[in-house]
Amino acid sequence: MDPFIFFALLQDGITTGAIYLLLAIGLLIVFSATRVIFVPQGDLLAFGALTAAGLQSGHVPATLWLLDGLSAAALLASLTGGVRAAGRALLVWGVYPAVVSLASVWLARREIPAVSILLALAIVTPMGPLIWRFAYRPMADASVLALLILSMALHFVLIGLGLVFFGPEEASVPALSTANFTIGALDISGQSLCVLGAAVALVVGLGWFFGATVQGKALRAAASDPLGARLVGIDAGATGSLAFGLAAFIAALAGVLIGALTPLSYDAGFEIGLKGFVAAIMGGLVSYPMAAAGALLVGVLESLGSFWASAYREVIVFTLLIPVLLWLSLRRGSDEDRA
Amino acid sequence: MKPWLAVAATVAALGIVPALLPAFYVTLFGYVGLASLVALGLVLLTGISGQTSFGQASFVGLAAYATTLLTKFAGAPPIAGLVVGLAVTGSVAWLLGLITARLSGHFLALVSVAWGISFFSLFGTIPLLRGFNGIGGIPPLTLGALSAANPRVNLAVIWAVVAAIMLLSANLLDSRIGRAIRTLNGARLMGESVGIDTARLSRAVFVIAALYAGLAGFLFAHFQRFISPTPFSLGASIDYLFMVIIGGAAFLWGAPVGAILVVVLRDQFNDWIPRLTGQPGDYEALVFSLVVILLLQRAPGGLMPLLLRLRPRKRPDVAAETASDATPALSIAPTGAPTGAPTGAPTAAAGAPGPELLAVESVTRHFGGLAANQDVSFAVRAGEIVALIGPNGAGKTTLFNVISGVLPPSAGRVRLFGTAGGHLAPRRIAALGLARTFQHVKLLGGRSVLENVALGAHASGRAGVLRCMLRLDRKEERRILADARAQATLVGLGDVLDRPAGDLPLGQQRVVEIARALCLRPRLLLLDEPAAGLRLQEKQRLALLLGQLRAEGMGVLLVEHDMDFVMQLADRVVVMDFGQKISEGLPAQVQADPLVREAYLGSVA
């Protein structure tokens, strides 16, 4: 193979690998804190990309009305929880969506790329906690499998909404950088560097969050021992909310990043999310470094695969799971008997 | 027989009545039947055994393409297509099951998403399969000179197959294998302790579910006589799962109920929604998914439990049940007492102890830096009762788990019945003649006491999946149930045989575990706190039973906190504290030991 083509494919692979890495991190955070396998994360990725694209083309995206609707419902539901809870809910589910809505309506016409992207993040991120609140939390004690089936159903709900909101057309997000660097004969795109930079920043930021902040430590505690965490007063609802918020933010971020590299349609998020899963599974759904390595491997393999055997690209990526699972299977004893 | 009648009537209604209607309904109910087949497999897999698959549609596709290639291109008869199609789906399922064998259920589910997408993509890209153009002109099913080219005949064929599969599945669930399958759902440790190879069995269930899907695929190809990748997508797989969730995953009837609702309603939605909204959209998927979410949240059992509630209840014996609540089984009557048992409290060392059954030799077990057991040694011989006592956290239950093979020792060895003492899996140890109960009771709460006890006799049976499905296991099953009834009566559960085990008070649930253990005909019995939760009379009766078992030559090792019970019953007592053995001897010696007194710090009554 031509070394330049190889380098281009490698760059491509590492860039998408970084996106998968972001998603794998989001999945692991949610799974360890709540045992939910968050399939709809991929759909939130599409929401993020298409919301940014919509704002950039001067539309007020329909995801905003979804945010407003769900927030209003959360606000109503919190009225039964006493004055203090209601006050806090008013701030989170009343004031915040109002501000975001006004800003979106006002700023959508100006079509400033950075503003569109920030607003998209602001609109999609709260959907994580809202989805947790209305879909998962009512059955938070159910088995992992039941939660997984719920995730699948939720995926279809979001896909259905996505089609209604955005139509079947593909759309692109404005790139954060259109620069192109040339080192020798090699081209490096600025957007690729942005993706890598965002991935590194997120990893460092999360490292700090989990290591140094009270919320981060609470999340870790809830992940390693849910009952113990509850006994020392860590609110399971709040940790779940936080985990889903982080995952939704990560998904939206991944969406606005990848949406600049390739146009996305409303249903494109699922498969991207699944590849994040492949990476997360490589880490046995527990290890972040293994998941990171897996994400890069998936990205590169997919990129090379698309060159050699593009029709079988998906098959190659998912077949990768087989040796990984065999290895996990042999290494690990049975961990059944979930009550 | 009632289930036969119900199946026959319903299936006749669904297979024959639509045949009298316009062609549209014939096709629709054909699809309902095919979907029911796939859903029946998912009931066994998801509702009964607690696993799940998002890849069933790809099994349908594998068999459909297999029979298409054989019958259309190679000119083989459909029966060859059936055999090869089932062989292919079965083998693929077996391999996939093997890969995820030791991982918890959600890995299998996630991988099923991956292979669902992979197969779908392969169906669409392999040139031989002609991609999304599909393959038409598949020959219809024939039987001699009879051809089922007529859709109405096809409909009858499909529903006859559904009926057969429902009956086979019902037979399977009501058998030795069926009981074992239910342990897969959250009680695998218990299953292993009675000799069930749970990994192999869960793979078997997975293969059965795939074969049902394969059967549907075979019929689909010859019924529709045209196939393309579309009906074998991930979305279709998830649809099947939704049918099961909506119908009721724990019930065989949930499969057809869910299939009818989803197929028919989806068809109606497709008609209605564009009319209402004026534009085509994925609304029907949206609505369905919302319904599934609501069901999962509000009625996780699906519609079947609600339908069953509509049925007139034929249980006039509620009063009798409450009455038996008041008189716990163990205290009921001496009529069920072991014959020839000593009338007073059994005295220690009734007979001379026999050969050594269990030798714990310098066993150490670490959890990270914590030594739960440190260099523990003792022995249990035939015809003696040894009690293992010690304060909470002394490591007694860990030692039980090491002895019964749940945990391998970090150092030292356990020799059972004179074997060399390598680490064996719990079910192998069970086969050697060791039976155990659990500190935290492990029963199938929704199943009857009799069924729970019969689980103990699992290893004494030989009937496999096929024999159970075909009811060729009846002689053996009668023997197993008679055995279970005898053991249950022996421990005093004779009056509650048909009650769900989960409805009994905790003390009695422990007794159910003892009866289950006795069904293994063990040489050595491990009891983890058998007297906890029992009343005085019940304890006396338990002591009587254990004394009788000892007289028959059984060895008993028990962990117990009730000192009166222990001191009265045990021949020897082993005392543990902080993972180490601190004392061993006759009850009186141990009671006098200052080390023991110190360990308990006055907690000994």
Side-chain angles (χ1 to χ4, degrees):
Chain A
M1 179 192 277
D2 184 335
F4 297 110
I5 295 180
F6 179 76
F7 183 80
L9 289 174
L10 194 66
Q11 186 192 338
D12 210 36
I14 290 176
T15 312
T16 37
I19 299 283
Y20 300 152
L21 166 62
L22 292 179
L23 293 173
I25 291 175
L27 293 168
L28 286 178
I29 291 175
V30 168
F31 182 71
S32 58
T34 63
R35 300 178 307 123
V36 168
I37 296 176
F38 192 31
V39 179
Q41 195 192 17
D43 303 313
L44 290 182
L45 177 148
F47 274 22
L50 294 173
T51 300
L55 285 164
Q56 186 57 26
S57 57
H59 302 300
V60 177
T63 34
L64 185 65
W65 312 132
L66 179 65
L67 171 67
D68 290 343
L70 287 175
S71 298
L75 192 56
L76 276 178
S78 70
L79 289 181
T80 54
V83 178
R84 250 189 83 190
R88 200 175 152 269
L90 190 65
L91 201 64
V92 179
W93 303 126
V95 177
Y96 175 83
V99 170
V100 173
S101 302
L102 288 175
S104 301
V105 172
W106 182 52
L107 290 167
R109 278 178 234 133
R110 330 224 151 186
E111 301 175 14
I112 310 161
V115 170
S116 300
I117 287 171
L118 285 178
L119 279 175
L121 292 179
I123 292 171
V124 175
T125 302
M127 289 187 189
L130 285 167
I131 286 174
W132 158 248
R133 170 75 182 72
F134 288 112
Y136 293 103
R137 200 171 169 185
M139 51 181 290
D141 292 327
S143 71
V144 174
L145 276 183
L147 291 169
L148 177 56
I149 295 171
L150 180 73
S151 283
M152 282 292 175
L154 210 53
H155 155 65
F156 281 101
V157 171
L158 293 188
I159 283 271
L161 290 175
L163 181 58
V164 177
F165 290 169
F166 304 110
E169 299 83 18
E170 293 186 331
S172 281
V173 179
L176 286 171
S177 157
T178 49
N180 240 324
F181 305 96
T182 314
I183 302 173
L186 305 174
D187 273 340
I188 297 174
S189 86
Q191 183 69 15
S192 287
L193 290 180
C194 285
V195 172
L196 290 179
V200 170
L202 194 89
V203 168
V204 171
L206 285 175
W208 171 80
F209 175 74
F210 283 122
T213 66
V214 176
Q215 284 95 335
K217 286 178 183 170
L219 207 53
R220 265 168 58 204
S224 74
D225 182 359
L227 183 65
R230 241 187 263 187
L231 287 177
V232 299
I234 293 171
D235 175 7
T239 50
S241 202
L242 182 60
F244 274 88
L246 282 171
F249 171 75
I250 290 171
L253 181 68
V256 296
L257 289 171
I258 199 173
L261 292 168
T262 167
L264 296 177
S265 61
Y266 73 99
D267 60 350
F270 182 62
E271 286 207 356
I272 299 175
L274 273 186
K275 285 165 195 157
F277 266 116
V278 174
I281 289 175
M282 287 187 191
L285 288 179
V286 283
S287 161
Y288 286 85
M290 289 293 296
L296 292 179
L297 182 65
V298 171
V300 171
L301 208 67
E302 183 189 22
S303 170
L304 296 178
S306 64
F307 182 76
W308 276 311
S310 69
Y312 296 99
R313 205 182 56 193
E314 310 290 327
V315 182
I316 292 171
V317 169
F318 291 121
T319 315
L320 191 64
L321 272 180
I322 290 176
V324 171
L325 285 163
L326 264 181
W327 179 71
L328 277 176
S329 212
L330 293 175
R331 201 186 49 142
R332 215 202 255 187
S334 171
D335 52 0
E336 308 296 341
D337 269 6
R338 313 164 299 278
Chain B
M1 285 183 70
K2 274 218 146 167
W4 281 84
L5 269 176
V7 170
T10 313
V11 161
L14 292 169
I16 294 169
V17 173
L20 308 172
L21 297 171
F24 169 77
Y25 292 97
V26 176
T27 315
L28 192 69
F29 276 86
Y31 287 136
V32 170
L34 293 174
S36 302
L37 277 180
V38 185
L40 276 169
L42 275 176
V43 165
L44 292 182
L45 189 68
T46 305
I48 311 289
S49 87
Q51 313 173 75
T52 209
S53 157
F54 296 103
Q56 293 310 95
S58 57
F59 291 134
V60 181
L62 273 178
Y65 274 106
T67 191
T68 301
L69 292 182
L70 273 174
T71 54
K72 180 171 161 75
F73 296 130
I79 184 75
L82 177 65
V83 172
V84 172
L86 290 185
V88 170
T89 37
S91 325
V92 169
W94 186 79
L95 271 176
L96 289 167
L98 202 60
I99 291 165
T100 53
R102 298 184 63 194
L103 299 171
S104 36
H106 53 275
F107 278 98
L108 180 67
L110 281 177
V111 176
S112 71
V113 176
W115 92 65
I117 291 179
S118 297
F119 278 123
F120 179 65
S121 151
L122 283 177
F123 293 147
T125 44
I126 293 176
L128 182 64
L129 305 182
R130 302 196 187 162
F132 285 85
N133 293 329
I135 307 175
I138 302 167
L141 292 181
T142 49
L143 182 69
L146 286 175
S147 160
N150 181 339
R152 284 161 218 276
V153 176
N154 258 322
L155 182 71
V157 171
I158 288 174
W159 280 97
V161 173
V162 173
I165 291 295
M166 273 195 85
L167 282 174
L168 294 181
S169 308
N171 289 347
L172 181 68
L173 288 181
D174 175 36
S175 75
R176 165 180 177 269
I177 300 288
R179 286 188 293 273
I181 290 174
R182 293 184 194 278
T183 68
L184 298 176
N185 195 356
R188 289 183 178 231
L189 200 57
M190 181 267 276
E192 291 278 327
S193 83
V194 296
I196 298 166
D197 186 342
T198 53
R200 203 169 142 241
L201 189 61
S202 43
R203 207 146 62 236
V205 178
F206 185 55
V207 171
I208 294 171
L211 289 178
Y212 287 5
L215 196 53
F218 167 80
L219 292 171
F220 178 83
H222 294 286
F223 176 55
Q224 175 158 296
R225 304 179 61 191
F226 167 86
I227 58 170
S228 73
T230 315
F232 313 131
S233 66
L234 180 67
S237 288
I238 292 171
D239 247 16
Y240 291 128
L241 196 60
F242 284 178
M243 287 175 197
V244 171
I245 301 285
I246 291 174
F251 303 86
L252 290 175
W253 283 101
V257 168
I260 292 171
L261 277 173
V262 170
V263 175
V264 174
L265 283 183
R266 185 150 273 187
D267 177 71
Q268 292 295 311
F269 274 134
N270 277 338
D271 267 4
W272 271 91
I273 290 175
R275 266 190 248 167
L276 287 178
T277 60
Q279 55 174 340
D282 225 359
Y283 293 103
E284 115 259 359
L286 187 73
V287 173
F288 257 106
S289 311
L290 282 173
V291 168
V292 168
I293 290 175
L294 280 175
L295 268 177
L296 281 168
Q297 289 180 346
R298 314 270 162 198
L303 292 179
M304 271 309 284
L306 308 179
L307 289 178
L308 287 177
R309 223 179 286 163
L310 296 179
R311 204 175 58 171
R313 284 172 63 92
K314 40 177 186 191
R315 300 190 67 186
D317 50 347
V318 181
E321 277 181 24
T322 36
S324 68
D325 253 342
T327 41
L330 272 181
S331 65
I332 288 174
T335 48
T339 46
T343 42
T347 49
E356 188 177 272
L357 298 178
L358 163 72
V360 176
E361 298 176 354
S362 308
V363 163
T364 296
R365 171 69 205 191
H366 293 283
F367 291 106
L370 176 81
N373 294 144
Q374 181 77 51
D375 199 21
V376 178
S377 302
F378 66 90
V380 179
R381 281 169 296 178
E384 74 170 345
I385 296 177
V386 176
L388 187 58
I389 65 168
N392 286 324
K396 305 182 294 290
T397 294
T398 301
L399 194 57
F400 255 45
N401 284 336
V402 170
I403 293 172
S404 59
V406 176
L407 298 168
S410 309
R413 60 177 184 168
V414 175
R415 292 199 306 128
L416 277 162
F417 314 114
T419 54
H423 176 63
L424 290 173
R427 68 169 183 281
R428 305 242 180 260
I429 289 179
L432 286 176
L434 180 144
R436 69 168 295 185
T437 65
F438 295 89
Q439 185 185 6
H440 301 289
V441 177
K442 292 184 194 295
L443 294 172
L444 304 178
R447 311 306 300 176
S448 72
V449 168
L450 183 65
E451 275 183 276
N452 271 284
V453 175
L455 265 173
H458 178 85
S460 75
R462 288 285 159 271
V465 169
L466 212 56
R467 270 174 67 193
C468 290
M469 282 185 161
L470 297 171
R471 290 265 133 163
L472 298 176
D473 64 333
R474 287 300 100 179
K475 199 174 150 205
E476 179 184 292
E477 178 74 359
R478 271 196 297 277
R479 204 246 319 132
I480 287 177
L481 289 180
D483 197 14
R485 201 169 284 121
Q487 299 297 347
T489 310
L490 182 70
V491 300
L493 295 169
D495 285 6
V496 290
L497 287 176
D498 296 325
R499 295 215 5 222
D503 287 2
L504 300 182
L506 189 61
Q508 274 193 306
Q509 295 191 17
R510 291 183 179 283
V511 178
V512 176
E513 286 216 322
I514 295 173
R516 184 181 68 207
L518 290 178
C519 260
L520 271 87
R521 311 245 167 232
R523 287 189 277 166
L524 177 62
L525 186 60
L526 263 57
L527 303 176
D528 206 340
E529 302 196 16
L534 294 191
R535 305 170 194 197
L536 183 61
Q537 280 175 307
E538 295 172 326
K539 277 181 197 164
Q540 283 169 348
R541 175 155 177 164
L542 178 62
L544 214 61
L545 173 70
L546 294 179
Q548 165 73 8
L549 294 171
R550 167 173 58 191
E552 288 169 3
M554 194 183 291
V556 179
L557 176 65
L558 55 92
V559 163
E560 188 48 70
H561 284 294
D562 183 328
M563 286 306 139
D564 287 341
F565 186 80
V566 165
M567 295 304 164
Q568 183 192 62
L569 186 64
D571 299 300
R572 282 186 303 121
V573 178
V574 174
V575 190
M576 289 183 66
D577 193 22
F578 290 113
Q580 290 176 319
K581 186 174 89 173
I582 57 167
S583 183
E584 178 178 355
L586 299 174
Q589 291 172 339
V590 166
Q591 274 177 308
D593 189 332
L595 269 175
V596 176
R597 289 177 168 274
E598 193 188 316
Y600 272 89
L601 276 175
S603 70
V604 177

